[in-house]
């Protein structure tokens, strides 16, 4: 759990149910942009829109003003399911015990060359 | 075609876009929400960009030492030949959207015809501008539906807006002698010929948005001859202020 | 009471130049400071659209008009990026905007000065954006990931902002006529000191500096950044032939920096308190846009709900 201060009413969960909010608050969307073919979509940022169509159009104006994209994905922030760092050690102790997963764990004689 | 006819034809196109771009740019920083502020600014930039391309072409045609800024920003009011609808104040967001819908749905058809112009500049201009105007029309159509079919307040505001602008539409579709000449000679296009396709689209959008199509046939005109509304003088006073206050200065 | 061990591990983690992400554990104070600072930064971008927007319809050439619209539009975008960064901390944008509109939240005082001539547009781009860039380049290394990423994007996009301002100043102060030169000098006189104030109070007097530096929210002190800005800007002013409105300004051979005069913090504090030339006007303008946009935002939301219901019905 993030250390939200419960006394601060501004701090609401990220996945707050938008439909119960006031009439004019537009939901938040996450925007992913493929900058050119051959590359994966990358998280560009977020914005507000009333529906998916508007989110794509707004993303075009907000995040591709300088020709940064060939394809746009949008997803409502509330629909994103994220892993939760429930165990506080998660952050501070990365899985560095499985060193056999890293190429530098293996010794290749220099005369073999680059591998 | 005479040089004068061609020049005036281009000037109308340039003035339409400049004056609408000038109006839209007034929204910059004052839009209903940040995302929409950015979208409207983009559209304003497109219109001003298109007008700049034409003014540059006009500057090279007239070859009298006037550059694009001198043409765009130093004429007398009676020398501007834009359609009156485009110089009207922005009003509320419904008026802005209604005008955007009316103009971009007309302009897209117009450019689509102009693509086949025998004049290289005009066909190239149309080809390039169509991509932008398609987006303007999509933006305007989306908002026509949102406002028309949104809340009772937005519906009534939009109905009021489409009614109020309706008498300015005739001017967009009116073929005067210059339009007829340009269409006959194959370097321009008839405006009147676009009306059926334009009306079909309009009827569909208005039906989906729940709007009543106004029926009045009479319309305002005069913009093409340099006879403007009272609003134009103030628009020009702002737009021309620095050029007028410091004649000949470079910026 | 926060666990002392957690706080220490957090500090060690930050000390090792790691970034903190939205769902990571963080001290309450760190979260609150970030919300305040990022929101202030976002508000500044949005209010900052107004003084420059004031000249869009009067820009002196088509090229200048186009540049100015795209610059002010960028500021809307930057406000949006920063609000988004703030939203990752669990505060929604509408709440933040309410705080701006009610006058509860602060924004950069520099935008409470008026743009009275076209030269102000040059001076803002050159000096105000120049000062902002010095600060923002430093903030690209801030310890909070979403804030840092927003800064990287903003710095990339803003690289043209300062240059376009300086270009306006060249046209006026170097290549312009006498009236334009005068206009440029007057604008420079008006914006020089407020630009220096943008870096905030001296570190010794700043309430938050110490802890923010330790958490690496802030990466450089106010005085250090201000000095960097002065050192950068003085030669640029000299190139333009402008006189710097500070009789104490001189090159210090020993330190390798420019010495400059005492900043009038009384003025700074008055503007922060709301007594600047445009404080009320700026907030009124923002409130007007927000209020007049309310029915538009409601309509779009109502339409989206209807569409959703229609889809649900047709799917059933």
């Amino acid at each position: 759990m993030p250390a939200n201060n419960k006394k601060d009413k501004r701090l609401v969960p990220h996945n707050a149910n938008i439909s119960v909010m006031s009439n004019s608050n537009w939901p938040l969307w996450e925007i992913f942009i493929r900058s050119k073919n051959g590359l994966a979509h990358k998280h560009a940022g977020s914005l507000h829109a009333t529906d998916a169509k508007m989110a794509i159009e707004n993303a075009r104006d907000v995040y591709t003003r300088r020709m940064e994209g060939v394809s746009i994905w949008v997803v409502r922030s509330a629909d994103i399911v994220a892993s939760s760092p429930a165990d506080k050690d998660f952050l501070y102790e990365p899985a560095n015990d499985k060193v056999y997963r890293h190429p530098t764990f293996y010794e290749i004689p220099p005369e073999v060359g680059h591998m | 075609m005479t040089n004068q006819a061609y020049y005036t034809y281009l000037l109308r196109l340039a003035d339409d876009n400049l004056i609408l771009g000038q109006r839209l740019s007034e929204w910059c920083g004052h839009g209903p929400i940040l995302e929409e502020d950015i979208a409207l600014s983009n559209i304003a930039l497109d219109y001003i960009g298109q007008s700049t391309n034409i003014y540059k072409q006009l500057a090279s045609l007239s070859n009298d030492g006037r550059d694009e800024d001198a043409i765009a920003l130093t004429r007398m009011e009676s020398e501007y030949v834009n359609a009156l609808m485009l110089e009207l104040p922005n009003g509320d967001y419904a008026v802005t959207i209604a005008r955007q819908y009316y103009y971009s749905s007309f302009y897209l058809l117009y450019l689509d015809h102009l693509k086949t112009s025998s004049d290289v500049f005009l066909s190239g201009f149309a080809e390039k501008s169509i991509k932008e105007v398609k987006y303007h029309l999509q933006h305007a159509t989306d908002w026509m539906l949102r406002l028309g079919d949104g809340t009772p307040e937005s519906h009534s505001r939009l109905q009021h807006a489409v009614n109020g602008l309706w008498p300015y539409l005739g001017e967009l579709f009116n073929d005067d002698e210059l339009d007829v000449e340009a269409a006959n000679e194959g370097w321009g296009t008839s405006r009147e010929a676009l009306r059926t396709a334009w009306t079909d689209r309009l009827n569909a959008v208005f039906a989906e948005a729940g709007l009543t199509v106004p029926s009045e046939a009479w319309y305002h005109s005069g913009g093409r001859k340099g006879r403007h509304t009272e609003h134009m003088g103030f628009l020009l006073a702002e737009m021309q202020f620095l050029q007028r206050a410091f004649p000949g200065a470079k910026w | 009471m926060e666990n002392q061990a957690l706080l220490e591990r957090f500090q060690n983690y930050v000390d090792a130049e790691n970034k903190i992400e939205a769902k990571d554990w963080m001290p309450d104070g760190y979260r609150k400071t970030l919300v305040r600072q990022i929101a202030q930064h976002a508000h500044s971008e949005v209010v900052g659209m107004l003084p420059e927007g004031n000249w869009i319809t009067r820009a002196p050439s088509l090229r200048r008009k186009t540049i100015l619209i795209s610059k002010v539009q960028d500021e809307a975008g930057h406000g949006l990026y920063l609000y988004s960064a703030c939203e990752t901390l669990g505060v929604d944008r509408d709440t933040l905007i309410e705080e701006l509109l009610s006058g509860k939240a602060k924004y950069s005082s520099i935008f409470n000065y008026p743009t009275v001539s076209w030269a102000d547009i040059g001076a803002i781009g050159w000096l105000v954006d120049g000062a902002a860039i010095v600060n923002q380049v430093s903030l690209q290394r801030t310890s909070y990931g979403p804030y840092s990423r927003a800064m990287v994007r903003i710095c990339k996009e803003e690289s043209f902002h300062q240059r376009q301002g300086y270009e306006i100043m060249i046209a006026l102060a170097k290549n312009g006529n006498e009236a334009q030169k005068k206009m440029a000098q007057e604008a420079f006189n008006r914006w020089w000191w407020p630009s220096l104030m943008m870096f905030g109070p001296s570190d010794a007097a700043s309430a938050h500096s110490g802890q923010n530096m330790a958490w690496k929210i802030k990466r450089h002190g106010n005085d250090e950044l201000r000095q960097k800005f002065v050192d950068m800007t003085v030669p640029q002013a000299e190139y333009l032939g402008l006189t710097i409105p500070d009789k104490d300004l001189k090159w210090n051979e020993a330190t390798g920096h420019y010495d400059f005069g005492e900043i009038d913090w009384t003025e700074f504090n008055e503007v922060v308190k709301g007594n600047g030339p445009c404080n009320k006007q700026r907030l009124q303008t923002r409130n007007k846009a927000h209020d007049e946009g309310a029915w538009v935002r409601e309509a779009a939301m109502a339409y989206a709900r209807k569409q959703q219901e229609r889809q649900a019905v047709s799917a059933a």
Side-chain angles (χ1 to χ4, degrees):
Chain A
M1 270 298 284
N4 278 357
N5 183 339
K6 295 202 173 55
K7 276 172 288 185
D8 190 341
K9 289 199 179 82
R10 299 180 313 174
L11 301 181
V12 298
H14 205 56
N15 58 355
N17 186 353
I18 306 296
S19 63
V20 301
M21 295 166 75
S22 92
N23 278 338
S24 59
N25 289 5
W26 293 5
L28 188 67
W29 296 73
E30 299 302 321
I31 311 302
F32 301 82
I33 310 247
R34 185 199 295 288
S35 56
K36 61 176 188 185
N37 278 10
L39 297 179
H41 284 79
K42 192 176 164 212
H43 187 234
S46 45
L47 50 73
H48 290 261
T50 54
D51 55 31
K53 186 163 188 280
M54 191 203 267
I56 290 209
E57 280 159 22
N58 287 348
R60 175 191 172 280
D61 283 321
V62 173
Y63 288 105
T64 68
R65 287 200 301 289
R66 290 173 171 78
M67 313 279 165
E68 295 98 331
V70 295
S71 162
I72 299 173
W73 284 352
V74 300
V75 59
R76 272 186 58 158
S77 310
D79 290 338
I80 289 193
V81 180
S83 64
S84 167
D87 180 358
K88 284 160 191 150
D89 292 338
F90 183 85
L91 174 63
Y92 307 109
E93 287 166 21
N96 57 4
D97 54 338
K98 297 185 176 65
V99 286
Y100 46 81
R101 283 187 172 141
H102 298 277
T104 48
F105 181 68
Y106 304 93
E107 276 186 31
I108 304 290
E111 52 269 36
V112 178
H114 177 72
M115 185 175 285
Chain B
M1 98 181 127
T2 65
N3 287 344
Q4 185 54 45
Y6 181 66
Y7 189 94
T8 306
Y9 196 84
L10 290 191
L11 193 60
R12 289 178 178 180
L13 194 52
D15 285 352
D16 277 356
N17 288 314
L18 174 65
I19 300 303
L20 181 56
Q22 172 80 2
R23 278 298 184 211
L24 284 178
S25 74
E26 292 172 17
W27 276 107
C28 191
H30 308 273
I33 190 164
L34 276 177
E35 282 81 356
E36 199 48 24
D37 212 301
I38 295 170
L40 277 181
S41 301
N42 260 356
I43 297 171
L45 282 170
D46 286 345
Y47 286 127
I48 295 168
Q50 289 180 23
S51 76
T52 305
N53 288 340
I54 307 173
Y55 289 125
K56 280 185 177 162
Q57 175 73 359
L58 290 172
S60 71
L61 283 176
S62 53
N63 199 21
D64 57 2
R66 289 189 308 161
D67 63 6
E68 67 271 21
D69 291 320
I71 300 174
L73 304 175
T74 63
R75 277 173 292 150
M76 299 304 289
E77 178 177 321
S78 60
E79 294 170 306
Y80 284 82
V81 287
N82 57 283
L84 298 179
M85 184 174 78
L86 307 172
E87 72 198 39
L88 297 177
N90 287 330
D92 66 6
Y93 208 62
V95 174
T96 293
I97 289 299
R99 174 166 61 193
Q100 280 308 107
Y101 178 76
Y102 281 155
Y103 182 68
S104 57
S105 59
F106 157 78
Y107 190 37
L108 184 62
L109 289 169
Y110 179 80
L111 290 172
D112 202 44
H113 279 236
L114 211 56
K115 258 193 330 196
T116 58
S117 165
S118 58
D119 178 68
V120 182
F121 174 79
L122 279 172
S123 63
F125 172 82
E127 191 82 49
K128 187 169 175 290
S129 306
I130 275 176
K131 290 180 208 136
E132 295 173 352
V133 179
K134 269 187 185 155
Y135 172 72
H136 303 168
L137 177 57
Q138 189 190 346
H139 174 266
T141 307
D142 288 344
W143 275 103
M144 288 289 282
L145 299 179
R146 286 181 194 122
L147 299 184
D149 189 19
T151 61
E153 179 180 5
S154 70
H155 178 269
S156 112
R157 281 177 183 263
L158 186 60
Q159 184 67 58
H160 192 255
V162 296
N163 293 352
L165 291 170
W166 187 261
Y168 292 90
L169 280 167
E171 192 178 34
L172 285 184
F173 291 97
N174 176 51
D175 281 336
D176 66 4
E177 58 277 21
L178 175 55
D179 293 297
V180 172
E181 178 192 337
N184 286 343
E185 294 178 8
W187 52 271
T189 182
S190 161
R191 297 164 167 272
E192 188 59 48
L194 310 172
R195 196 187 276 273
T196 312
W198 182 84
T199 307
D200 288 347
R201 185 195 277 267
L202 176 106
N203 287 338
V205 171
F206 271 48
E208 193 179 342
L211 296 164
T212 308
V213 182
S215 55
E216 196 176 349
W218 175 85
Y219 63 89
H220 296 281
S221 62
R224 301 299 183 206
K225 302 256 184 277
R227 291 195 308 273
H228 291 276
T229 65
E230 286 189 347
H231 307 292
M232 186 65 167
F234 292 95
L235 182 150
L236 293 181
E238 275 189 38
M239 191 170 81
Q240 300 185 336
F241 160 58
L242 285 167
Q243 290 277 347
R244 294 264 180 223
F246 303 94
K250 294 281 169 242
W251 303 93
Chain C
M1 186 66 192
E2 276 171 347
N3 185 325
Q4 193 56 38
L6 268 176
L7 282 173
E8 265 171 38
R9 288 163 81 178
F10 180 85
Q11 189 62 55
N12 291 339
Y13 189 71
V14 166
D15 285 345
E17 292 295 333
N18 292 301
K19 296 281 188 236
I20 304 300
E21 294 294 344
K23 285 182 182 284
D24 293 337
W25 183 87
M26 61 186 82
D28 273 353
Y30 181 83
R31 180 183 298 271
K32 278 187 178 157
T33 302
L34 278 173
V35 169
R36 190 187 62 235
Q37 183 175 329
I38 302 173
Q40 268 184 24
H41 201 155
H43 298 328
S44 302
E45 296 281 354
V46 171
V47 177
M49 296 170 76
L50 300 177
E52 286 175 284
N54 184 34
W55 279 87
I56 286 177
T57 57
R58 291 178 291 172
S61 69
L62 295 168
R63 179 169 177 269
R64 292 284 171 218
K65 191 187 289 290
T66 310
I67 293 169
L68 187 56
I69 295 171
S70 53
K71 178 175 189 288
V72 177
Q73 183 195 37
D74 271 351
E75 279 149 19
H78 298 166
L80 198 153
Y81 305 159
L82 287 160
Y83 283 128
S84 301
C86 211
E87 286 184 280
T88 63
L89 292 160
V91 189
D92 70 279
R93 189 171 91 186
D94 296 282
T95 309
L96 295 169
I97 289 176
E98 282 306 322
E99 289 177 356
L100 168 69
L101 296 176
S102 68
K104 187 181 162 207
K106 294 267 183 278
Y107 56 87
S108 178
S109 278
I110 193 83
F111 302 116
N112 290 320
Y113 291 89
T115 50
V116 297
S117 82
W118 171 252
D120 292 58
I121 302 306
I124 288 183
W126 170 37
L127 300 172
V128 176
D129 287 85
I133 289 166
V134 167
N135 192 34
Q136 289 172 172
V137 163
S138 163
L139 281 171
Q140 289 183 104
R141 292 177 54 232
T142 188
S143 59
Y144 186 56
Y147 192 26
S148 155
R149 289 192 289 277
M151 278 300 123
V152 169
R153 195 173 185 98
I154 288 171
C155 285
K156 204 170 112 195
E157 295 189 352
E158 276 205 347
S159 55
F160 95 80
H161 291 187
Q162 191 186 14
R163 292 172 70 102
Q164 67 84 34
Y166 196 65
E167 201 190 72
I168 291 174
M169 294 308 274
I170 292 175
L172 299 176
K174 224 171 152 59
N175 303 334
N177 59 34
E178 281 316 304
Q180 288 174 308
K181 287 196 164 102
K182 182 164 176 277
M183 196 191 282
Q185 180 66 53
E186 285 170 356
F188 185 54
N189 294 348
R190 281 195 299 275
W191 290 94
W192 170 256
W193 288 106
S195 301
L196 296 193
M197 295 175 195
M198 279 177 72
F199 295 94
S202 180
D203 296 314
S206 175
H208 307 292
S209 261
Q211 181 63 71
N212 292 355
M213 293 282 278
W215 276 335
K216 297 192 191 290
I217 292 175
K218 245 177 109 63
R219 300 305 308 248
H220 300 92
N222 295 349
D223 294 320
E224 183 188 351
L225 293 173
R226 185 168 16 243
Q227 184 67 57
K228 193 173 172 191
F229 174 72
V230 171
D231 291 346
M232 261 171 44
T233 310
V234 171
Q236 294 166 354
E238 284 167 355
Y239 174 82
L240 293 171
L242 294 173
T243 309
I244 292 159
D246 177 1
K247 61 179 171 36
D248 297 323
L249 188 120
K250 61 173 185 302
W251 176 252
N252 184 329
E253 201 62 60
T255 61
H257 294 289
Y258 285 94
D259 293 338
F260 52 94
E262 195 59 37
I263 291 172
D264 180 2
W265 293 111
T266 318
E267 175 188 322
F268 176 81
N269 290 327
E270 284 302 317
V271 182
V272 169
K273 270 195 287 183
N275 298 327
C278 298
N279 295 56
K280 288 188 180 66
Q281 181 191 339
R282 298 287 184 244
L283 270 194
Q284 273 167 6
T285 307
R286 284 312 313 160
N287 271 292
K288 183 168 180 284
H290 189 77
D291 294 347
E292 289 178 358
W295 69 270
V296 180
R297 297 189 299 274
E298 276 162 26
M301 210 52 231
Y303 175 76
R305 284 202 197 93
K306 283 188 200 174
Q307 287 294 94
Q308 217 170 15
E309 282 159 20
R310 283 170 195 147
Q311 276 166 11
V313 169
S314 68

